């Protein structure tokens, strides 16, 4: 059974999204992100401008757009379907849409939690 084009796009986008989400937002790599952030800030203080290596690692571990592009590039280079440029643009674009939706849902849930807490505190005062 061969994977069709749309199946390949969906599977690859989900893989890129999950890897990007793990790198940039998961709790399991929070310590690594904190270390990278500290080294990035320290290099800014010492040199007034962070070095290339510090900038790249900081972008990979903190920016979903940056890490999503590079992960899409690597995966599409290993498993091409329509040509590298098309593959990367399709997968990267869909990955970015997934991250925008995820960020929207996460922020709305935080706002809803805050409203529920405010309402429960008001009820306790009454």
């Amino acid at each position: 059974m061969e994977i069709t084009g749309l199946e390949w796009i969906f599977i690859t986008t989900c893989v890129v999204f999950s890897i990007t989400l793990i790198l940039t937002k998961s709790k399991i790599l929070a310590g690594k992100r904190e270390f990278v952030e500290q080294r990035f800030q320290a290099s800014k203080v010492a040199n007034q401008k962070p070095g290339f290596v510090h900038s790249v690692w900081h972008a990979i571990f903190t920016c979903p757009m940056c890490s999503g592009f590079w992960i899409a590039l690597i995966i599409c280079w290993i498993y091409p379907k329509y040509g590298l440029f098309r593959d990367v643009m399709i997968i990267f674009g869909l990955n970015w849409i997934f991250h925008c939706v995820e960020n929207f849902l996460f922020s709305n849930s935080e706002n809803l939690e805050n409203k529920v807490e405010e309402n429960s505190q008001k009820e306790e005062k009454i």
Side-chain angles (χ1 to χ4, degrees), residues 17 21 25-27 98-114:
F17 176 72
L21 195 65
K25 297 181 181 181
S26 72
K27 288 182 182 179
F98 281 15
H99 275 287
C100 289
V101 169
E102 177 265 333
N103 198 25
F104 174 76
L105 293 174
F106 181 75
S107 25
N108 277 348
S109 68
E110 282 185 337
N111 291 339
L112 185 61
E113 280 182 8
N114 292 339

Side-chain angles (χ1 to χ4, degrees), residues 18-124:
S18 62
I19 293 171
T20 304
L21 195 65
I22 289 169
L23 281 176
T24 59
K25 297 181 181 181
S26 72
K27 288 182 182 179
I28 196 165
L29 290 178
K32 178 70 172 174
R33 276 192 306 278
E34 185 178 316
F35 174 76
V36 168
E37 182 69 35
Q38 288 173 354
R39 296 301 303 157
F40 180 73
Q41 296 301 329
S43 71
K44 281 172 63 174
V45 170
N47 302 332
Q48 301 296 330
K49 183 179 176 189
F52 177 75
V53 173
H54 293 294
S55 298
V56 168
W57 283 113
H58 184 261
I60 294 290
F61 280 99
T62 59
C63 175
M65 191 170 197
C66 301
S67 63
F69 173 77
W70 290 109
I71 293 167
L73 182 70
I74 291 168
I75 290 179
C76 292
W77 183 62
I78 294 171
Y79 300 110
K81 185 73 171 177
Y82 301 113
L84 184 63
F85 182 74
R86 277 190 213 156
D87 291 348
V88 171
M89 289 300 112
I90 291 169
I91 302 305
F92 172 65
L94 289 173
N95 176 53
W96 186 242
I97 290 171
F98 281 15
H99 275 287
C100 289
V101 169
E102 177 265 333
N103 198 25
F104 174 76
L105 293 174
F106 181 75
S107 25
N108 277 348
S109 68
E110 282 185 337
N111 291 339
L112 185 61
E113 280 182 8
N114 292 339
K115 286 180 183 180
V116 168
E117 286 178 16
E118 289 174 5
N119 288 340
S120 66
Q121 288 174 356
K122 286 180 183 177
E123 289 176 359
E124 288 176 1

